[in-house]
Amino acid sequence: MSELQDQEKSIATTYTYSTDDTSPTTTQHPYIEDKHTKNFFSCFIDGFKPSKGWEIDENLTFEERTHKLQEFAPLKRKLKNRHLQMIAIGGSIGTGLFVGTGGALAQGGPASLIIAWILVGIMMFCTVQSLGELCVAFPVPGSFVQYNTRFISPAWGFCMSWNYALAWLISLPIELVAAAITVNYWNDSINSAAWVAIFYIIILLINILGVKGYGETEFAFSIIKVIAILGYVILGIVINCGGVPQGGYIGGQYWKNPGAFNHGFKGVCSVFVTAAFSFGGTELCGLAAAETENPRKSLPSATKQVFWRITLFYIISLALIGINIPFTDSRLLGNSGAAASPFVISIQNAGIKGLPSVMNAVIMLSICSVANSGVYAASRTISSLANQGFAPRWFGYVDREGRPLVGIGITMAFGLLCFLAATSYHAKVFDWMMAVSGLSSFVTWGSINVCHLRFRSALKAQGRGVDELHFTSQSDIYGSIFGVILNGLIIISQLWIALFPVGGKISAESFLKSFLCIPVLIIFYTFWLFYSKDYTFFIKGKNIDLDSGRIIENLHDLREEVAREKAELASQVWYYRFYKFWC
């Protein structure tokens, strides 16, 4: 019997798809009881009892852990296609775009804004394409967090898992405080702690509802954000043409005076971190793969939506901001919250009454959306840490409703730091918290691209090819190579900015606030090497596990199915092929 036939017969899978590809089918767990025999209260209480799948034997290998997780599937696959589409389109649109772009405009000028966002946007498109290929093939709990362990090394997996968890843990209290600050736009007489408490309770209740609650709220939040951005694009054109109560025709005068750039090349480099912050969370559609009804159908379409978000929501809206507001406007750096939002400032300059309040409400909802996503991402990552043996086993507790309760509890406990908003030193504390995860997005995205390259390398080393994949990255390995290089260059540029700050002198405090993330990563990596005594820096391609967690049954049948789908698509009219390529 050939080696290929041995591989085909040895692949152990759990999820199989019905002929109509509508939803995965699994064997029902023996502990599941008929909910119709119990009242609502009893079912609600029983839902918090442990899922049989969360108890993982510490002596199992990584591959055996993956098999066990897939067998019991403690996380529920309740996210539908519409949820994933809206998470991909608008899930990460928040303070980075609505507020952070104001400071970036003041720091680098309108041309720097466009250049930085285009470069990071192209990189994000390539990264999400690479992630989509991996997630469709391996829709395992933890997604790219586990891919680092599988395709690179356990030490790097430990380092990146904790890095990603910390980034979202830190994000939650900061976003809650930012949401409270937006309320000050209307009324600043009420203590911020009161609003923080309200937002905290709302986010907690949403996540207690489980992944379905997260999906529905993000669906609603994303629709509101998308409508707001589309509305501003139309309004921004009207403002520029002078069709508003005050301001008159603007055209491109602000690109001439005060100019297109501020602080030259250094100004361009200085806005990359803000661009990364605005794109943060784009990878969440990959993290949600393990809780999606049919990742094979939903994920490819969701990853393609990133192109439209980058083009329409970011580039066009930022171009309008750059031509409607001079970067010398003191409000861009002299205010906080919605008052510093270039969207709000441009509407105020136009003399439109009432609309700034509407935009402020959208900003507040966007911030709540990011905070909600923070709890989702952090709790799933914490659960994955336990599953990989990188944290105490009880961190991975998942109840019968598929909620990682311990992960949610740890995240919400960390979120209590939001009540520092009532103190006079909260800004300094949050600055140092942000420093820990300042460059983590670039490291995370670069690592996803490395995982994709390692996956393709492993396929080649084991005599296999992309013909066994349901979905392949549109940017292929070249997009991953570009992603690795650009992320590396951006990190180097941030080191340069940290050593030689824009318009200031270097200090130990400012350097650490800009670059603290890298020493933290080195500490994590070194700790695991000495703790585990596993000094594997790279898993050899021939030894990489390419089968655990796959959603296929037979390689031969899969290749035939993929070839049939490609042939069917090729037979369609050109405009349908064009639509399927981009959507």
Side-chain angles (χ1 to χ4, degrees):
M1 185 177 291
S2 68
E3 181 180 349
L4 179 59
Q5 290 174 323
D6 287 339
Q7 290 175 347
E8 293 176 355
K9 288 195 171 184
S10 65
I11 294 178
T13 60
T14 299
Y15 288 98
T16 59
Y17 287 85
S18 56
T19 54
D20 62 353
D21 276 330
T22 56
S23 61
T25 59
T26 61
T27 303
Q28 189 177 22
H29 304 313
Y31 65 85
I32 293 180
E33 301 178 26
D34 184 5
K35 293 184 178 180
H36 295 292
T37 63
K38 293 188 175 184
N39 58 42
F40 173 80
F41 183 75
S42 297
C43 290
F44 179 76
I45 297 300
D46 287 347
F48 291 96
K49 293 180 180 179
S51 163
K52 296 297 183 183
W54 83 274
E55 297 175 350
I56 307 299
D57 186 349
E58 294 180 349
N59 296 319
L60 295 178
T61 64
F62 172 76
E63 292 80 6
E64 291 169 338
R65 289 172 186 270
T66 304
H67 279 305
K68 184 173 177 63
L69 284 169
Q70 288 297 96
E71 178 184 354
F72 290 102
L75 297 178
K76 303 298 182 182
R77 292 181 177 266
K78 292 184 177 180
L79 287 179
K80 299 182 182 296
N81 182 57
R82 64 182 177 88
H83 296 139
L84 206 62
Q85 299 302 318
M86 294 311 296
I87 290 172
I89 292 175
S92 65
I93 296 176
T95 49
L97 176 63
F98 287 123
V99 180
T101 48
L105 176 62
Q107 191 81 355
S112 298
L113 212 63
I114 299 299
I115 292 171
W117 259 262
I118 286 179
L119 286 175
V120 176
I122 294 173
M123 180 270 293
M124 281 310 308
F125 175 78
C126 296
T127 300
V128 175
Q129 284 288 312
S130 301
L131 179 60
E133 178 178 314
L134 293 172
C135 288
V136 171
F138 305 93
V140 296
S143 182
F144 53 86
V145 174
Q146 287 205 23
Y147 299 154
N148 292 294
T149 306
R150 181 191 292 256
F151 298 117
I152 302 179
S153 72
W156 188 246
F158 175 84
C159 173
M160 292 309 301
S161 296
W162 275 106
N163 167 69
Y164 194 70
L166 274 178
W168 282 111
L169 286 172
I170 290 169
S171 172
L172 175 60
I174 294 174
E175 296 295 340
L176 290 173
V177 172
I181 291 175
T182 60
V183 181
N184 292 338
Y185 183 85
W186 296 298
N187 187 342
D188 59 0
S189 62
I190 301 175
N191 193 306
S192 296
W195 295 113
V196 164
I198 292 172
F199 290 123
Y200 181 92
I201 293 171
I202 292 173
I203 298 300
L204 175 61
L205 291 176
I206 290 173
N207 283 273
I208 289 297
L209 294 175
V211 67
K212 192 70 176 291
Y214 166 75
E216 293 296 349
T217 52
E218 284 305 301
F219 181 78
F221 284 151
S222 294
I223 288 178
I224 294 172
K225 289 185 282 187
V226 167
I227 292 174
I229 293 294
L230 292 176
Y232 180 80
V233 168
I234 298 172
L235 178 62
I237 296 173
V238 174
I239 291 173
N240 188 261
C241 294
V244 289
Q246 65 185 46
Y249 177 76
I250 299 175
Q253 61 176 301
Y254 293 142
W255 277 62
K256 297 179 181 178
N257 182 27
F261 292 95
N262 189 24
H263 300 116
F265 179 69
K266 189 177 288 187
V268 177
C269 293
S270 68
V271 302
F272 274 115
V273 170
T274 308
F277 182 60
S278 71
F279 281 107
T282 302
E283 70 284 346
L284 282 178
C285 60
L287 192 65
E291 297 175 86
T292 303
E293 281 187 351
N294 193 339
R296 182 195 160 191
K297 294 295 182 181
S298 301
L299 274 170
S301 181
T303 57
K304 294 174 185 177
Q305 303 296 332
V306 173
F307 170 81
W308 298 108
R309 188 179 73 190
I310 292 169
T311 304
L312 184 59
F313 303 147
Y314 286 93
I315 305 304
I316 295 180
S317 61
L318 291 177
L320 289 169
I321 286 170
I323 62 176
N324 288 337
I325 306 173
F327 67 74
T328 53
D329 193 312
S330 60
R331 289 170 293 178
L332 294 172
L333 290 176
N335 292 314
S336 61
S341 168
F343 292 84
V344 173
I345 291 173
S346 64
I347 296 172
Q348 289 174 334
N349 290 345
I352 304 175
K353 304 296 184 181
L355 200 53
S357 290
V358 174
M359 202 67 202
N360 185 62
V362 172
I363 293 173
M364 183 180 67
L365 290 175
S366 300
I367 295 171
C368 291
S369 171
V370 176
N372 186 39
S373 296
V375 178
Y376 177 84
S379 60
R380 270 63 182 178
T381 305
I382 289 170
S383 178
S384 178
L385 282 166
N387 296 337
Q388 297 179 81
F390 297 153
R393 187 174 64 179
W394 57 273
F395 275 35
Y397 181 96
V398 178
D399 67 15
R400 294 186 182 184
E401 293 298 321
R403 293 169 296 209
L405 285 183
V406 172
I408 292 174
I410 292 173
T411 306
M412 296 309 298
F414 203 90
L416 291 173
L417 289 173
C418 64
F419 289 101
L420 287 173
T423 66
S424 58
Y425 50 84
H426 75 275
K428 197 171 188 66
V429 174
F430 287 150
D431 281 347
W432 281 106
M433 287 170 58
M434 284 295 293
V436 175
S437 60
L439 297 176
S440 64
S441 293
F442 295 118
V443 180
T444 297
W445 297 333
S447 186
I448 289 173
N449 287 302
V450 172
C451 287
H452 181 241
L453 293 172
R454 296 284 295 155
F455 171 58
R456 289 293 190 90
S457 175
L459 282 174
K460 184 177 181 180
Q462 298 181 27
R464 297 158 69 170
V466 296
D467 56 344
E468 65 178 65
L469 303 177
H470 284 293
F471 171 72
T472 55
S473 168
Q474 291 177 316
S475 56
D476 204 55
I477 62 171
Y478 305 106
S480 294
I481 293 172
F482 172 75
V484 172
I485 293 174
L486 184 60
N487 278 293
L489 290 176
I490 291 174
I491 292 174
I492 293 172
S493 72
Q494 296 314 301
L495 175 61
W496 177 49
I497 295 297
L499 291 172
F500 306 99
V502 176
K505 295 182 179 179
I506 185 175
S507 68
E509 181 177 342
S510 63
F511 176 81
L512 286 175
K513 284 182 178 179
S514 300
F515 223 70
L516 185 60
C517 175
I518 302 303
V520 170
L521 289 175
I522 294 173
I523 291 171
F524 275 129
Y525 190 86
T526 307
F527 169 79
W528 184 255
L529 286 179
F530 287 99
Y531 175 78
S532 66
K533 295 182 173 56
D534 181 356
Y535 302 104
T536 303
F537 295 98
F538 271 104
I539 301 174
K540 294 182 179 179
K542 63 180 181 180
N543 296 329
I544 290 177
D545 174 24
L546 295 177
D547 298 322
S548 298
R550 296 289 293 273
I551 59 173
I552 59 177
E553 287 185 300
N554 183 285
L555 286 177
H556 177 72
D557 292 343
L558 173 63
R559 291 188 177 103
E560 287 188 349
E561 183 179 358
V562 171
R564 184 171 61 252
E565 290 176 351
K566 289 182 178 179
E568 182 179 346
L569 180 61
S571 65
Q572 300 293 327
V573 292
W574 69 269
Y575 51 84
Y576 180 79
R577 296 197 305 271
F578 180 84
Y579 169 78
K580 294 300 291 183
F581 180 84
W582 290 110
C583 300

